[in-house]
Amino acid sequence: DGGITQSPKYLFRKEGQNVTLSCEQNLNHDAMYWYRQDPGQGLRLIYYSQIVNDFQKGDIAEGYSVSREKKESFPLTVTSAQKNPTAFYLCASSISRGGGYGYTFGSGTRLTVV
Amino acid sequence: GQSLEQPSEVTAVEGAIVQINCTYQTSGFYGLSWYQQHDGGAPTFLSYNALDGLEETGRFSSFLSRSDSYGYLLLQELQMKDSASYFCAVRDDQAGTALIFGKGTTLSVSS
């Protein structure tokens, strides 16, 4: 079955460490997205990519980095520059630009700074 | 910039009908989408309206009025499993092709 796989499901990070969240899709979708979700805040856009080797910053890109070397993969690195990284991170993909056909989301990674 | 407004909470009883409103402000408009998210889970796509009017999918319907920058999600014959958060989302010129989401409406269905 096609879908999006995010790993790990739970991740603990020490202060000052970089961590990378994995996102892999086998839906043959061109576009992929990263969102951060905090309680009561909805989903906020971190980065998005429409095609391989291209990505754009979202509203809250500071302290994060991404790469898109393969169509199937869009990893997110949370750097030590991100001052408040504890959150639920969601990766999504879509077949069409703009979400007309709907996003498919992964099951998320819950990151906690310890 | 872009903004979306939706109520933070709605409560209802099983079998009832509930309407979740969404007003938006965007630079350009490319349709209004709705997503459902159960606690701790992934959001799932419910509907998309690009043109004015009502779209019906089973117990759920979604409405759009572009002139009023307004839409709503209508849930009929509510069931306990409909207890979840519901998000409206739009695309905006300033966000390229990505969706911008509202803060969500938490629906609690009681028996």
Side-chain angles (χ1 to χ4, degrees):
Chain A
D1 288 337
I4 295 185
T5 301
Q6 288 188 243
S7 61
K9 189 173 179 68
Y10 298 95
L11 185 58
F12 297 89
R13 191 194 94 170
K14 293 183 178 179
E15 295 272 359
Q17 282 184 336
N18 293 355
V19 289
T20 297
L21 283 59
S22 171
C23 179
E24 303 276 336
Q25 55 101 355
N26 60 3
L27 299 165
N28 200 33
H29 286 174
D30 289 314
M32 297 187 73
Y33 315 86
W34 274 105
Y35 289 87
R36 168 180 172 144
Q37 187 172 32
D38 297 280
Q41 293 295 317
L43 283 71
R44 292 186 290 168
L45 180 66
I46 305 174
Y47 269 98
Y48 63 99
S49 169
Q50 298 176 58
I51 56 173
V52 174
N53 292 322
D54 181 70
F55 47 83
Q56 305 295 327
K57 292 182 179 180
D59 295 330
I60 57 167
E62 185 175 353
Y64 300 97
S65 66
V66 293
S67 63
R68 186 84 187 279
E69 298 177 359
K70 299 186 300 182
K71 187 176 185 178
E72 301 79 16
S73 179
F74 192 39
L76 174 74
T77 297
V78 184
T79 75
S80 57
Q82 170 50 237
K83 297 308 179 186
N84 185 23
T86 295
F88 188 45
Y89 291 87
L90 287 159
C91 179
S93 69
S94 69
I95 191 170
S96 77
R97 299 179 180 183
Y101 292 95
Y103 281 8
T104 299
F105 280 88
S107 57
T109 292
R110 196 166 296 277
L111 174 63
T112 303
V113 174
V114 295
Chain B
Q2 69 278 24
S3 67
L4 298 101
E5 296 290 333
Q6 51 181 130
S8 58
E9 294 183 15
V10 174
T11 60
V13 297
E14 277 187 303
I17 299 173
V18 71
Q19 179 174 311
I20 299 174
N21 299 320
C22 175
T23 58
Y24 58 86
Q25 181 178 349
T26 62
S27 303
F29 179 74
Y30 305 92
L32 180 70
S33 301
W34 289 92
Y35 287 78
Q36 178 193 60
Q37 184 183 32
H38 286 97
D39 194 31
T44 57
F45 173 71
L46 291 177
S47 67
Y48 172 72
N49 294 67
L51 302 175
D52 292 349
L54 189 69
E55 296 278 347
E56 298 181 66
T57 307
R59 295 188 297 115
F60 293 2
S61 303
S62 56
F63 172 82
L64 175 66
S65 170
R66 288 175 295 171
S67 60
D68 295 322
S69 297
Y70 163 77
Y72 66 73
L73 181 69
L74 188 73
L75 297 86
Q76 303 181 72
E77 302 173 16
L78 282 174
Q79 302 175 10
M80 297 289 285
K81 67 178 181 179
D82 297 328
S83 293
S85 292
Y86 293 84
F87 297 89
C88 57
V90 295
R91 204 186 110 194
D92 184 277
D93 284 340
Q94 294 186 14
T97 62
L99 289 177
I100 304 301
F101 286 80
K103 293 187 176 182
T105 299
T106 300
L107 170 63
S108 298
V109 180
S110 59
S111 57

